[in-house]
Amino acid sequence: MSTERSSEKGLHRIWIGRLLTLALLALPPASRAQSEPATRGTPGNDPKSSPPAVAIREQKALDLLKRMSETLVAARAFTYHSRGAIELRAKTGQFVTLFGESEVALERPNKLHVQVTGEVPNFQLYYDGQSVTAYAPKDNVYSTSSAPKTIDETLEFIQKKANVHFPSSDLMVADPYAMLTQDLGSGFVVGPATVNDSACEHLAFRTSDSNWEIWIDGKSALPRRLLVTYTTVANFPRLAVEFSEWNLVPKLAASRFEFTKPAGARQIDFRAEAADNSPQAP
């Protein structure tokens, strides 16, 4: 294998197979987590040491989640900024924490732009209704493909095309409430809380592979904080995100969603990597 082809394979492993997964630092959903079998004997991972699950579905928690979802759906377009941290398994087996920031812009029904910076692999995602492109500025390489006609279909297409899941999809789809409550085992209101001076309701939910919490602004009904614990992954890694600068009436130029090839950028193909689906740091 040539040095160039070997380098491209490594590039796919880092920024196509995992970097889009790290887009969860933009807005991760709790109901989708790459996972591996829990390791027996790991502290906190032994089912015998865990209290039995109790299925409680408080209507108030569901109502608040539905109100948040309806607020997002009602917006023809929106933008927001987020800061997040995720625990990922390093090559030594130790879990390390990576921090990142994201800028997200969405326009229904078929435009999306995401920019991720920070400790996590940096990348930009462009979807203009006709094509979808992922660009890694550090290595000046990109992958592009024709895309379906809607955001929902394109997010699913990306997952199938490159074996990647864009976790924020649960809040970007046409019906976020249906997506978020899929496989929902329990949900309840923890109580009032304040996130960056915003009065919020703190909610907690459980699915078959995660425990997740969300803090929803009492006035705007927008998410302010998200915490996910992946319960089917060894060591129960966590993801934490805080959201700010929400704008539900942004003025977005068409060029925001269109990829313009930078000078000297090389194109490489989207392709799935099936070797290891467990969360892992680069």
Short mmCIF file of all heavy atoms in Angstrom, two decimals, residues 27-30 212-215 224-228 239-243:
data_model
loop_
_atom_site.label_atom_id
_atom_site.label_comp_id
_atom_site.label_asym_id
_atom_site.label_seq_id
_atom_site.Cartn_x
_atom_site.Cartn_y
_atom_site.Cartn_z
N LEU A 27 -24.81 18.99 18.92
CA LEU A 27 -26.06 18.75 19.62
C LEU A 27 -26.39 17.29 19.58
O LEU A 27 -27.05 16.82 18.68
CB LEU A 27 -27.18 19.55 18.99
CG LEU A 27 -28.53 19.46 19.69
CD1 LEU A 27 -28.41 19.91 21.13
CD2 LEU A 27 -29.55 20.28 18.97
N PRO A 28 -25.90 16.47 20.53
CA PRO A 28 -26.07 15.06 20.48
C PRO A 28 -27.41 14.61 20.98
O PRO A 28 -27.89 15.16 21.93
CB PRO A 28 -24.99 14.53 21.37
CG PRO A 28 -24.79 15.64 22.32
CD PRO A 28 -25.16 16.92 21.63
N PRO A 29 -28.04 13.60 20.40
CA PRO A 29 -29.26 13.05 20.93
C PRO A 29 -28.93 11.97 21.91
O PRO A 29 -27.93 11.32 21.77
CB PRO A 29 -29.93 12.44 19.73
CG PRO A 29 -28.78 11.96 18.95
CD PRO A 29 -27.65 12.95 19.20
N ALA A 30 -29.76 11.74 22.86
CA ALA A 30 -29.47 10.72 23.84
C ALA A 30 -29.79 9.33 23.36
O ALA A 30 -29.31 8.35 23.89
CB ALA A 30 -30.27 10.99 25.11
N TRP A 212 -30.14 9.90 29.94
CA TRP A 212 -29.85 11.25 29.48
C TRP A 212 -30.71 12.28 30.19
O TRP A 212 -31.82 12.00 30.63
CB TRP A 212 -29.98 11.37 27.97
CG TRP A 212 -31.32 11.02 27.36
CD1 TRP A 212 -31.83 9.78 27.15
CD2 TRP A 212 -32.30 11.94 26.87
NE1 TRP A 212 -33.07 9.86 26.55
CE2 TRP A 212 -33.38 11.17 26.36
CE3 TRP A 212 -32.35 13.33 26.78
CZ2 TRP A 212 -34.51 11.75 25.79
CZ3 TRP A 212 -33.49 13.91 26.21
CH2 TRP A 212 -34.54 13.13 25.72
N GLU A 213 -30.13 13.45 30.32
CA GLU A 213 -30.79 14.55 31.00
C GLU A 213 -30.74 15.79 30.12
O GLU A 213 -29.77 16.00 29.38
CB GLU A 213 -30.09 14.84 32.33
CG GLU A 213 -30.04 13.64 33.28
CD GLU A 213 -29.04 13.85 34.39
OE1 GLU A 213 -29.21 14.80 35.17
OE2 GLU A 213 -28.07 13.05 34.48
N ILE A 214 -31.77 16.59 30.22
CA ILE A 214 -31.82 17.80 29.40
C ILE A 214 -32.40 18.93 30.23
O ILE A 214 -33.31 18.71 31.04
CB ILE A 214 -32.64 17.57 28.11
CG1 ILE A 214 -32.47 18.75 27.16
CG2 ILE A 214 -34.10 17.29 28.41
CD1 ILE A 214 -32.94 18.45 25.74
N TRP A 215 -31.82 20.10 30.09
CA TRP A 215 -32.27 21.30 30.79
C TRP A 215 -32.93 22.21 29.75
O TRP A 215 -32.27 22.69 28.81
CB TRP A 215 -31.10 22.01 31.44
CG TRP A 215 -30.54 21.34 32.66
CD1 TRP A 215 -30.68 21.75 33.96
CD2 TRP A 215 -29.70 20.17 32.71
NE1 TRP A 215 -30.01 20.90 34.81
CE2 TRP A 215 -29.40 19.93 34.08
CE3 TRP A 215 -29.19 19.29 31.75
CZ2 TRP A 215 -28.60 18.85 34.49
CZ3 TRP A 215 -28.41 18.22 32.14
CH2 TRP A 215 -28.12 18.01 33.50
N ARG A 224 -30.82 24.04 26.90
CA ARG A 224 -29.68 24.81 27.38
C ARG A 224 -28.50 23.92 27.78
O ARG A 224 -27.35 24.34 27.75
CB ARG A 224 -30.08 25.65 28.59
CG ARG A 224 -31.06 26.76 28.27
CD ARG A 224 -30.45 27.80 27.34
NE ARG A 224 -31.38 28.88 27.04
CZ ARG A 224 -31.13 29.86 26.18
NH1 ARG A 224 -29.97 29.87 25.52
NH2 ARG A 224 -32.02 30.78 25.95
N ARG A 225 -28.82 22.68 28.17
CA ARG A 225 -27.76 21.76 28.57
C ARG A 225 -28.23 20.33 28.30
O ARG A 225 -29.42 20.03 28.42
CB ARG A 225 -27.43 21.94 30.04
CG ARG A 225 -26.38 20.97 30.59
CD ARG A 225 -26.19 21.16 32.08
NE ARG A 225 -25.52 22.41 32.39
CZ ARG A 225 -25.61 23.04 33.55
NH1 ARG A 225 -26.40 22.55 34.52
NH2 ARG A 225 -24.95 24.17 33.77
N LEU A 226 -27.29 19.46 27.97
CA LEU A 226 -27.58 18.05 27.74
C LEU A 226 -26.48 17.21 28.36
O LEU A 226 -25.30 17.53 28.25
CB LEU A 226 -27.66 17.76 26.24
CG LEU A 226 -27.92 16.30 25.84
CD1 LEU A 226 -29.34 15.90 26.17
CD2 LEU A 226 -27.66 16.12 24.35
N LEU A 227 -26.87 16.14 29.04
CA LEU A 227 -25.90 15.20 29.60
C LEU A 227 -26.35 13.79 29.26
O LEU A 227 -27.51 13.43 29.48
CB LEU A 227 -25.83 15.36 31.13
CG LEU A 227 -24.89 14.40 31.86
CD1 LEU A 227 -23.44 14.67 31.49
CD2 LEU A 227 -25.07 14.52 33.37
N VAL A 228 -25.45 13.00 28.69
CA VAL A 228 -25.76 11.63 28.30
C VAL A 228 -24.75 10.68 28.92
O VAL A 228 -23.54 10.93 28.87
CB VAL A 228 -25.71 11.46 26.76
CG1 VAL A 228 -26.15 10.04 26.38
CG2 VAL A 228 -26.57 12.49 26.06
N LEU A 239 -21.24 12.38 27.96
CA LEU A 239 -21.20 13.52 27.05
C LEU A 239 -21.93 14.66 27.73
O LEU A 239 -23.01 14.46 28.30
CB LEU A 239 -21.89 13.17 25.75
CG LEU A 239 -22.39 14.35 24.91
CD1 LEU A 239 -21.22 15.01 24.21
CD2 LEU A 239 -23.42 13.90 23.91
N ALA A 240 -21.35 15.85 27.71
CA ALA A 240 -22.00 17.03 28.28
C ALA A 240 -21.93 18.17 27.27
O ALA A 240 -20.87 18.40 26.67
CB ALA A 240 -21.34 17.44 29.59
N VAL A 241 -23.04 18.86 27.06
CA VAL A 241 -23.09 19.96 26.10
C VAL A 241 -23.91 21.11 26.68
O VAL A 241 -24.93 20.88 27.33
CB VAL A 241 -23.75 19.53 24.77
CG1 VAL A 241 -23.66 20.65 23.74
CG2 VAL A 241 -23.12 18.27 24.22
N GLU A 242 -23.45 22.33 26.45
CA GLU A 242 -24.24 23.51 26.79
C GLU A 242 -24.47 24.32 25.52
O GLU A 242 -23.56 24.48 24.71
CB GLU A 242 -23.54 24.34 27.86
CG GLU A 242 -23.54 23.67 29.22
CD GLU A 242 -23.25 24.63 30.36
OE1 GLU A 242 -22.85 25.78 30.09
OE2 GLU A 242 -23.43 24.23 31.53
N PHE A 243 -25.70 24.81 25.36
CA PHE A 243 -26.10 25.53 24.16
C PHE A 243 -26.34 27.01 24.46
O PHE A 243 -26.85 27.35 25.52
CB PHE A 243 -27.39 24.93 23.60
CG PHE A 243 -27.36 23.43 23.51
CD1 PHE A 243 -28.06 22.65 24.42
CD2 PHE A 243 -26.63 22.80 22.53
CE1 PHE A 243 -28.04 21.27 24.35
CE2 PHE A 243 -26.58 21.42 22.46
CZ PHE A 243 -27.29 20.65 23.37
#
